[in-house]
Each structure stands twice: as C-alpha cells, then as structure tokens.
Amino acid sequence: MTAEHGGGIRLRRVYDPPDPAADGVRVLVDRLWPRGLAKAAAAVDEWPKEVTPSAELRTWFHGGGGSFEEFRERYEAELAGAEAGAAVARLRGLAAAGPVTLLTAVKDPATSHAAILAALLTP
C-alpha cells in the first residue's frame, strides 16, 4: 500500500518491495526493526529513531489509552522537542531535494504515526 502526500512524501509498508524508480530516500519511522525482515530486503536508507513515537506513547496508545486524535497531539508534542525537531528538519530537507518514502510495519500506514509525520513534513 502506498499513500502519497504533498511535497514528495510517500507512505509505504516496509514489507512491500522497494520501488527504486519512485521511492527516493527510504526512511524507516518505526522504533523497532520489523519482524522477519532482512535489512537488505528492506532497502532502508535512514532510520532516525528520534522521529518515532516514544515507548511510553506507543504503550499508552496500543493499550487502549486514548483516541487517535489524542495520540496525534501527544506525538506532535514529542516531535516538537529539540532532538526530534532536528531530525524532522533533516527529513524536510531530504524531501525538498527529492522523493522521500516513510516506511512502517503497521498494517494501515494512512492511520498511523507515519501519516502524522508525513503531514508535518508536507509543506
């Protein structure tokens, strides 16, 4: 599954085969490496863990702690921090130079942290 966002940002599942003609820089945006996937097969160019949701936030959300909107607010607050902010700025720079594909292992990238990040990266 591929979802397009403006500014050359794409969302894809990391388990989908790479598309060298369209993917550009492939960025894994999950904190943990996807199960059962060889690093060579993933063709990941960057893995900035600073832009992934914290372990606490993931545990809270996946444990039924709240709504997706509340998750969005908390995740955006994490991304506004200094370390994450620098990584977000770097990804914006990559997107300005060419296509960037955000990769995640979640089943529906369009309703995940990856989509929230893509929206923040889109000018």
Side-chain angles (χ1 to χ4, degrees):
M1 172 186 180
T2 302
E4 296 286 337
H5 286 261
I9 304 290
R10 302 173 78 206
L11 288 179
R12 297 189 71 207
R13 291 197 74 222
V14 69
Y15 297 109
D16 295 338
D19 182 355
D23 283 350
V25 179
R26 292 172 52 87
V27 181
L28 180 63
V29 295
D30 290 343
R31 187 164 295 266
L32 304 174
W33 187 261
R35 288 184 180 171
L37 184 65
K39 290 189 178 187
V44 169
D45 297 310
E46 301 212 8
W47 188 12
K49 294 179 185 171
E50 304 85 5
V51 300
T52 65
S54 67
E56 296 80 18
L57 182 57
R58 277 189 340 221
T59 301
W60 170 82
F61 183 62
H62 293 297
S67 69
F68 185 73
E69 282 309 310
E70 188 175 354
F71 171 76
R72 175 189 305 274
E73 290 171 12
R74 290 181 179 203
Y75 180 45
E76 287 175 350
E78 287 186 356
L79 291 173
E83 191 176 343
V88 168
R90 173 162 166 60
L91 291 177
R92 279 192 185 116
L94 289 173
V100 170
T101 299
L102 302 181
L103 302 167
T104 182
V106 300
K107 292 182 181 176
D108 184 7
T111 58
S112 72
H113 69 284
I116 296 167
L117 179 58
L120 289 174
L121 297 175
T122 302

